[in-house]
Amino acid sequence: MLFFIETVLSGLMAGVMYSLVALGFVLIFKASGIFNFAQGVFCLFAALTFVGIMEKTGVPWPVSFVLTVGVMIALAWAIERFLLSHLVNQEPIILFMATIGLAYFLEGLGDLMWGSDVKPLDIGLPSGASDWMLDTFDIYVEKLEVVAAVVAAALVTGLAVFFQKTRIGRALRAVADDHQAALSVGISLRTIWVIVWSVAGIVALVAGIMWGAKSGVQFSLSLIALKALPVLILGGFTSIPGAIVGGLIIGVGEKVAEIYLGPFVGGAIENWFAYMLALAFLLVRPQGLFGERIIERV
Amino acid sequence: MNETAAQPILSVNNIEVIYNHVILVLKGVSLSVPEGGIVALLGANGAGKTTTLKAISNLLGAERGEVTKGSIVFKDDQVEALSPNDLVKRGCIQVMEGRHCFGHLTVEENLMTGAYTRKDGHGAIRDDLDLVYSYFPRLKERRSSQAGYTSGGEQQMCAIGRALMSRPNMILLDEPSMGLAPQLVEEIFEIVKLLNEKEGVSFLLAEQNTNVALRYATYGYILEAGRIVLDGDAAALRDNEDVKEFYLGVGGEGRKSFRDVKHYKRRKRWLS
Ligand SMILES: Nc1ncnc2c1ncn2[C@@H]1O[C@H](COP(=O)(O)OP(=O)(O)OP(=O)(O)O)[C@@H](O)[C@H]1O
Ligand SMILES: [Mg+2]
């Protein structure tokens, strides 16, 4: 039983990461209808920049964090200026292709600027097992994973408040609902896009740092984006709570399946379980767990 | 060009609009709205009413439409190159055909999006919210419902209220009567009249419902296939035999086009 709880907990922690990456997708998809293939590379690029700045200049990590946030905002601005503004009104598939190009471009840029070796990311996050959990419940939990979960939860709460309570947040939701009407009341889509892509960049940075702290900053980081796809199918492309819950379900499902089903099918379930789950889900509930209800009345 | 004496707040001069670089939809449209006036833009389906309004508010860009000739002057400035955002800041806002409320936002949040461009502080915006609720008490009752679940009439009120929140001098109102019961149409137009009188908002309203529009407007233009074929004081238009026949549904002889009967008139206008 304890072992099962450990498995679930470690799944939840991994799931938090998936949730963060999926969240970046959902934000951009809601506000601009673009499926941003580059979201995974965003994580890699942000983490690389974060580590790179620390390495090259020796500044403490909070400074590097702030600088990297600046870089992600500049990147969002550049994407809007040089990519989106030229492709506005194009078919979604063209925009999707553009983000594929963007992904390769960013990958190359990250390599060029910071090199392609695996970089350790050490910002003094606690590591090892949580003694308290071990002593009180006899359960093994990585401290780092607890930190990641707490940070992710704080980030999500912050975003939720931002979306619900602020003028810009309201404008973002308005654009997501009906961009024509948003234009008509004087909301500038270009400003909103820069903001959304910046927020997605910052979310990617946080995810990248957490993931990097666990396994180093390396190319494989950009592949967690592949896990975001089943999360999105599960949670619905337009739902922020869906991205979060979907991420957790996939995280836990993977770990549990690996341990309890793995032995029967020869292991390595973790690699494809998420897709199976998503596929099964597609058949039952194609709009996702929390897929936005389409309000059907005029 | 038109007989109204007051200084125009808006004048559209001989504009041409092309969609997708090829489809010529407006073939030289001119009109003007006097400061504090209510002007109706009438015409059948596809005549180009919406296109005209969108050319003014510059929402055409989002639909691959473009003003290729002519000029639009709002409060003495040429505005055809401005973004909708700039126009709203200058006091000209469009209420789109089919309401277009933000379905997942509450009614109150919808209204607040109308104040997006304002910089005059929270207090002033709250005051205007109360003002909007005083014109539309029903919106106050439904303030925390998702707009997508409110009735068509409530959505039309929400859309007009949202536009009001930008403190406009001029509202471009596109088919407010669409899909509403006659009684509700009357209610909406009464409020338009009230807003015009009390808040000094000028209106350019596109309507298929010629009868109601001409009762509330002071002046009217009739658009057919991308051209203005007739214009005049609302009272004169109401008494015009052709308007009666084609747009008010009185008289008979079957459906004809202005193009056949009033060719000379159109000619004259285009030469003037
Ligand atoms: N985005 C577009 N691309 C191409 N053609 C368009 C576009 N929008 C409108 N049109 C065409 O322009 C013409 C005028 O349309 P518009 O919507 O301005 O008419 P309307 O007078 O508002 O009609 P309705 O009363 O039906 O709303 C129509 O023939 C329409 O097919
Ligand atoms: Mg129309």
Side-chain angles (χ1 to χ4, degrees):
Chain A
M1 187 59 205
L2 279 183
F3 180 63
F4 178 74
I5 294 177
E6 269 172 23
T7 313
V8 169
L9 279 178
S10 105
L12 278 178
M13 308 292 176
V16 163
M17 286 299 139
Y18 301 155
S19 300
L20 277 187
V21 179
L23 188 61
F25 272 110
V26 169
L27 289 177
I28 290 180
F29 189 77
K30 267 180 90 96
S32 51
I34 298 175
F35 185 85
N36 179 24
F37 184 80
Q39 190 63 32
V41 181
F42 263 40
C43 293
L44 174 67
F45 181 81
L48 268 181
T49 307
F50 175 71
V51 184
I53 290 177
M54 281 199 295
E55 243 178 29
K56 293 239 159 107
T57 63
V59 294
W61 75 264
V63 177
S64 177
F65 183 83
V66 172
L67 290 175
T68 311
V69 167
V71 169
M72 295 314 282
I73 291 172
L75 179 67
W77 180 84
I79 289 173
E80 198 288 323
R81 179 77 186 69
F82 298 111
L83 206 61
L84 302 183
S85 66
H86 297 285
L87 295 178
V88 69
N89 281 340
Q90 298 290 346
E91 301 291 321
I93 187 72
I94 294 180
L95 288 157
F96 175 63
M97 300 290 269
T99 66
I100 295 183
L102 177 66
Y104 284 105
F105 172 75
L106 279 182
E107 229 177 271
L109 185 67
D111 258 13
L112 199 69
M113 278 169 39
W114 315 111
S116 57
D117 45 326
V118 179
K119 293 185 174 49
L121 191 157
D122 183 11
I123 55 173
L125 290 178
S127 57
S130 159
D131 297 331
W132 181 77
M133 285 296 272
L134 208 54
D135 293 344
T136 5
F137 301 108
D138 203 20
I139 292 174
Y140 178 90
V141 186
E142 290 263 357
K143 275 188 195 151
L144 178 65
E145 294 188 326
V146 176
V147 172
V150 170
V151 169
L155 184 68
V156 168
T157 314
L159 282 176
V161 172
F162 171 67
F163 280 118
Q164 290 303 322
K165 302 284 173 208
T166 67
R167 164 177 163 270
I168 299 282
R170 199 160 47 223
L172 285 171
R173 284 185 294 137
V175 170
D177 251 15
D178 186 332
H179 69 273
Q180 283 246 9
L183 268 177
S184 83
V185 294
I187 295 172
S188 151
L189 290 187
R190 305 187 58 170
T191 313
I192 294 299
W193 286 345
V194 172
I195 293 171
V196 169
W197 284 72
S198 300
V199 171
I202 292 164
V203 171
L205 171 63
V206 174
I209 290 176
M210 294 305 160
W211 204 272
K214 203 159 104 184
S215 34
V217 177
Q218 52 183 319
F219 176 73
S220 68
L221 196 58
S222 63
L223 299 180
I224 54 171
L226 294 180
K227 281 285 166 57
L229 190 62
V231 172
L232 291 172
I233 293 174
L234 207 63
F237 277 77
T238 53
S239 164
I240 291 176
I244 293 160
V245 176
L248 298 179
I249 293 179
I250 297 273
V252 173
E254 259 180 9
K255 286 278 186 317
V256 171
E258 177 72 43
I259 285 171
Y260 294 95
L261 291 178
F264 301 106
V265 292
I269 282 194
E270 219 175 326
N271 293 326
W272 51 262
F273 177 78
Y275 292 92
M276 283 301 297
L277 195 62
L279 206 60
F281 211 79
L282 260 185
L283 299 176
V284 187
R285 214 183 138 80
Q287 75 272 41
L289 266 182
F290 295 81
E292 221 150 51
R293 282 170 68 183
I294 299 175
I295 300 182
E296 284 200 44
R297 58 177 305 170
V298 194
Chain B
M1 199 168 76
N2 79 51
E3 292 92 285
T4 33
Q7 177 74 14
I9 184 171
L10 172 79
S11 56
V12 172
N13 308 307
N14 211 4
I15 57 165
E16 202 174 271
V17 167
I18 297 186
Y19 281 112
N20 283 322
H21 300 294
V22 286
I23 310 166
L24 176 64
V25 170
L26 294 190
K27 302 154 189 167
V29 167
S30 300
L31 56 85
S32 79
V33 179
E35 177 96 58
I38 301 182
V39 171
L41 183 59
L42 307 166
N45 282 114
K49 304 179 296 293
T50 299
T51 304
T52 308
L53 296 198
K54 285 190 171 172
I56 299 167
S57 62
N58 216 344
L59 290 172
L60 274 185
E63 298 201 35
R64 302 199 222 174
E66 200 186 350
V67 177
T68 48
K69 263 193 207 146
S71 69
I72 299 167
V73 178
F74 178 67
K75 291 198 211 164
D76 302 326
D77 293 318
Q78 275 201 219
V79 295
E80 63 273 10
L82 295 184
S83 65
N85 169 273
D86 272 326
L87 272 157
V88 172
K89 282 186 197 156
R90 284 168 189 238
C92 178
I93 191 165
Q94 176 161 0
V95 176
M96 293 202 293
E97 182 177 331
R99 278 84 77 165
H100 283 267
C101 294
F102 303 115
H104 294 96
L105 272 60
T106 65
V107 167
E108 184 152 312
E109 284 174 334
N110 265 276
L111 297 177
M112 290 300 286
T113 57
Y116 176 81
T117 53
R118 284 173 63 173
K119 301 269 183 278
D120 53 351
H122 206 71
I125 292 173
R126 287 263 26 128
D127 288 348
D128 282 343
L129 195 60
D130 289 337
L131 184 77
V132 170
Y133 284 144
S134 74
Y135 282 104
F136 301 104
R138 271 212 263 170
L139 291 185
K140 188 165 191 175
E141 285 165 32
R142 311 233 40 191
R143 65 205 288 178
S144 47
S145 325
Q146 278 198 346
Y149 291 110
T150 58
S151 74
E154 286 160 349
Q155 288 188 12
Q156 186 64 64
M157 294 177 185
C158 181
I160 296 175
R162 184 175 69 185
L164 272 182
M165 289 298 293
S166 71
R167 282 220 148 269
N169 307 107
M170 157 121 234
I171 294 181
L172 309 167
L173 187 52
D174 199 351
E175 285 196 44
S177 74
M178 192 188 193
L180 300 184
Q183 204 182 345
L184 212 51
V185 172
E186 216 62 47
E187 195 179 327
I188 300 266
F189 273 85
E190 278 300 327
I191 293 171
V192 165
K193 190 169 133 204
L194 215 57
L195 289 171
N196 174 257
E197 285 166 1
K198 294 244 169 81
E199 308 298 323
V201 182
S202 311
F203 283 88
L204 175 58
L205 58 100
E207 260 301 344
Q208 286 198 32
N209 190 335
T210 309
N211 179 13
V212 178
L214 285 181
R215 269 193 288 117
Y216 287 90
T218 47
Y219 200 85
Y221 292 86
I222 296 183
L223 198 58
E224 217 173 73
R227 291 199 169 94
I228 304 273
V229 289
L230 186 66
D231 68 296
D233 284 326
L237 286 179
R238 269 204 308 273
D239 292 336
N240 182 298
E241 287 306 319
D242 298 316
V243 174
K244 277 188 188 162
E245 183 180 342
F246 299 124
Y247 292 101
L248 294 174
V250 276
E253 291 175 49
R255 173 94 194 170
K256 267 191 258 163
S257 164
F258 263 109
R259 228 181 292 213
D260 312 324
V261 249
K262 284 288 161 189
H263 195 66
Y264 66 94
K265 205 163 190 171
R266 219 175 78 225
R267 272 304 258 281
K268 195 173 123 237
R269 216 192 110 70
W270 285 111
L271 295 175
S272 68

